[in-house]
């Protein structure tokens, strides 16, 4: 699934399970960190291989470097070190990291029906895919789009209710403005 979908899903989990903004940000980030290995596409673009349709680094390293148990443990430990409730953050970060893996297993297929993205659970220690699902949805499928829209609406509802949103993961001041606008729209629509 897309990084946006992972961000929304992780933030929703964090919104229900954390009691402070710092821990909420850290748990949310754990659900997005696995896609950092997708930045390998930048190398392909810089080499001109993206334009020629001859990608090398992206298919080689995405879902292999940071989509497995070693990365889940390392990411959870690093994020927990910055948390207020460290063990709580560790457990939740580990959980949303695996939620990311599950979502990718279900909905990250490429444009061709045979372009499946396996999960290398012991990568980068092993190059053998551990999980592959032959019914994987396309990354741009209608089902992924519907899930993303549903998560977005849910996240907006939570933002109005709680007073902070997924925007706060990146910038607290912009988040206050964002939530303020949402609350204003809701009050105008309701009354």
């Amino acid at each position: 699934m897309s990084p946006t979908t992972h961000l929304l899903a992780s933030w929703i989990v964090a919104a229900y399970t954390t009691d402070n903004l710092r821990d909420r940000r850290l748990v949310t980030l754990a659900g997005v960190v696995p896609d950092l290995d997708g930045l390998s596409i930048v190398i392909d673009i810089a080499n001109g291989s993206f334009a020629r349709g001859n990608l090398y680094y992206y298919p080689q390293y995405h879902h292999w470097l940071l989509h497995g148990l070693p990365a889940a443990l390392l990411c959870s430990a690093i994020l927990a070190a910055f948390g207020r409730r460290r063990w709580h953050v560790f457990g939740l970060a580990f959980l949303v990291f695996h939620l990311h893996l599950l979502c990718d297993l279900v909905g990250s297929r490429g444009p061709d029906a045979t372009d499946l993205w396996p999960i290398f659970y012991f990568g980068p220690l092993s190059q053998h895919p551990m999980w592959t699902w032959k019914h994987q949805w396309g990354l741009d499928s209608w089902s992924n789009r519907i899930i993303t829209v549903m998560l977005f609406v849910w996240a907006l509802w939570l933002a109005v209710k709680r007073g902070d949103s997924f925007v706060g993961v990146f910038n607290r001041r912009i988040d206050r403005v964002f939530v303020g606008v949402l609350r204003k729209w809701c009050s105008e629509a309701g009354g």
Side-chain angles (χ1 to χ4, degrees), residues 34-54:
D35 277 340
L36 288 177
D37 62 12
L39 291 176
S40 55
I41 199 165
V42 173
I43 299 169
D44 285 332
I45 291 169
N47 290 337
S49 37
F50 184 76
R52 293 189 304 270
N54 188 19

Side-chain angles (χ1 to χ4, degrees), residues 22-107:
R22 176 186 290 178
D23 290 355
R24 193 167 307 128
R25 284 180 185 159
L26 295 168
V27 170
T28 302
L29 287 173
V32 182
V33 163
D35 277 340
L36 288 177
D37 62 12
L39 291 176
S40 55
I41 199 165
V42 173
I43 299 169
D44 285 332
I45 291 169
N47 290 337
S49 37
F50 184 76
R52 293 189 304 270
N54 188 19
L55 299 175
Y56 174 73
Y57 291 101
Y58 181 74
Q60 184 74 20
Y61 294 108
H62 186 52
H63 281 212
W64 179 62
L65 287 177
L66 296 176
H67 280 71
L69 180 62
L73 292 168
L74 182 63
C75 170
S76 299
I78 290 170
L79 292 171
F82 294 100
R84 290 201 174 129
R85 297 178 58 206
R86 290 188 173 102
W87 284 108
H88 191 72
V89 170
F90 180 87
L92 290 171
F94 194 75
L95 174 80
V96 297
F97 193 101
H98 281 80
L99 176 62
H100 179 115
L101 299 182
L102 177 63
C103 290
D104 277 359
L105 183 65
V106 171

Side-chain angles (χ1 to χ4, degrees), residues 2-24:
S2 78
T4 303
T5 309
H6 294 305
L7 171 72
L8 294 169
S10 300
W11 184 81
I12 289 168
V13 170
Y16 281 109
T17 58
T18 59
D19 59 4
N20 66 78
L21 294 174
R22 176 186 290 178
D23 290 355
R24 193 167 307 128

Side-chain angles (χ1 to χ4, degrees), residues 143-159:
S143 46
N144 280 350
R145 291 178 187 172
I146 288 174
I147 290 169
T148 303
V149 168
M150 288 176 16
L151 289 171
F152 184 66
V153 170
W154 189 358
L156 293 179
W157 175 80
L158 274 174

Side-chain angles (χ1 to χ4, degrees), residues 104-150:
D104 277 359
L105 183 65
V106 171
S108 290
R109 189 192 77 220
D112 186 273
T114 60
D115 189 10
L116 301 175
W117 284 92
I119 301 296
F120 296 89
Y121 195 62
F122 295 107
L125 304 176
S126 169
Q127 292 188 351
H128 300 289
M130 184 164 177
W131 298 314
T132 305
W133 188 45
K134 67 179 181 175
H135 302 292
Q136 201 173 66
W137 308 330
L139 185 60
D140 64 345
S141 67
W142 64 267
S143 46
N144 280 350
R145 291 178 187 172
I146 288 174
I147 290 169
T148 303
V149 168
M150 288 176 16

